[in-house]
Amino acid sequence: MEPQNIRYSRNPHTEKLKWVNHMVKLMDNQFRLPGTNFRFGLDPILGLLPVAGDLASFGVSAMLVMTMARHGASGKLVTLMLINIALDTVIGSIPVLGNIFDFFFKANERNVRLLTKHYQEGKYQGSGKNVIIGVIIGIVLLFALLIWVLWELAEWIYLQLAAIL
C-alpha cells in the first residue's frame, strides 16, 4: 500500500493537525522493505517487544485519536477510530499472529483517512468536551481489555509450562 500524502485545507484548526501526519508516517509507513513498495513503521517493530511495545503503540494511537477528537471529529468518527485501535491492540498483542497483523493493519493511517474524508465532506464540528470524555472512557476500557488479555495469556502459558514440568 503506497502511503498517502494527506493534505488538509489550510485553516487554523487543520494547521494544528500537521503533526498527526508525521506521527502516522512514523508509526505506519516510515520504512520501505528493500526491493518492494511495501512500507511499515514503528508499530509492528514495537509489537515485537512483549507488553511494553503493544502499550507504547496503543498510547501513541490513543494520543492521535484524542488530538483528532479535539479538532472536530464527530462522535461516530471517534467511535470508528477507537474500533480500529481496539483491533490493532487486541489482535496485535497475540504472539506471532499479532506481529504479522501489525505489518498490514495500519490503524493510524486508517484513522487519518477517516478524518480526511470527514473534513472533505464538511462535517467538521469543532471540539466538544463530550467527545473527549468518551474517548478517555474508551481508551481506559481498551487498556483494561489489553491488560486482561495479556493476563489470561500469561496464565495459560504458566499452566502449560507447569503441566510439562
Side-chain angles (χ1 to χ4, degrees), residues 6 16 18 22 27 53 63 71 76 81 96 98 124 131 144:
I6 298 170
K16 294 176 185 175
K18 279 186 174 181
H22 297 293
M27 292 302 289
M63 179 182 60
H71 289 89
K76 178 183 175 186
M81 290 178 180
V96 183
Y124 174 79
V131 173

Side-chain angles (χ1 to χ4, degrees), residues 32-154:
R32 185 177 58 85
L33 195 61
T36 69
N37 286 332
F38 182 75
R39 300 191 72 84
F40 62 96
L42 290 179
D43 188 22
I45 295 170
L46 287 172
L48 297 173
L49 300 171
V51 183
D54 293 323
L55 290 176
S57 291
F58 173 78
V60 170
S61 296
M63 179 182 60
L64 291 172
V65 170
M66 288 287 294
T67 300
M68 291 184 240
R70 280 195 314 251
H71 289 89
S74 68
K76 178 183 175 186
L77 183 64
V78 170
T79 302
L80 292 172
M81 290 178 180
L82 289 174
I83 290 170
N84 283 338
I85 293 174
L87 285 172
D88 187 43
T89 302
V90 172
I91 297 173
S93 65
I94 299 169
V96 183
L97 174 66
N99 295 343
I100 295 168
F101 178 79
D102 277 342
F103 277 98
F104 297 99
F105 187 82
K106 300 175 180 188
N108 298 316
E109 185 178 334
R110 289 171 187 261
N111 288 344
V112 168
R113 274 188 280 168
L114 286 171
L115 183 69
T116 302
K117 183 178 176 190
H118 182 71
Y119 270 41
Q120 289 171 347
E121 292 174 353
K123 295 181 179 176
Y124 174 79
Q125 298 177 350
S127 67
K129 291 184 180 182
N130 293 337
V131 173
I132 294 172
I133 290 170
V135 170
I136 291 171
I137 291 169
I139 290 169
V140 169
L141 291 174
L142 288 174
F143 183 74
L145 178 64
L146 175 64
I147 296 298
W148 177 77
V149 166
L150 291 173
W151 180 265
E152 291 294 319
L153 179 64

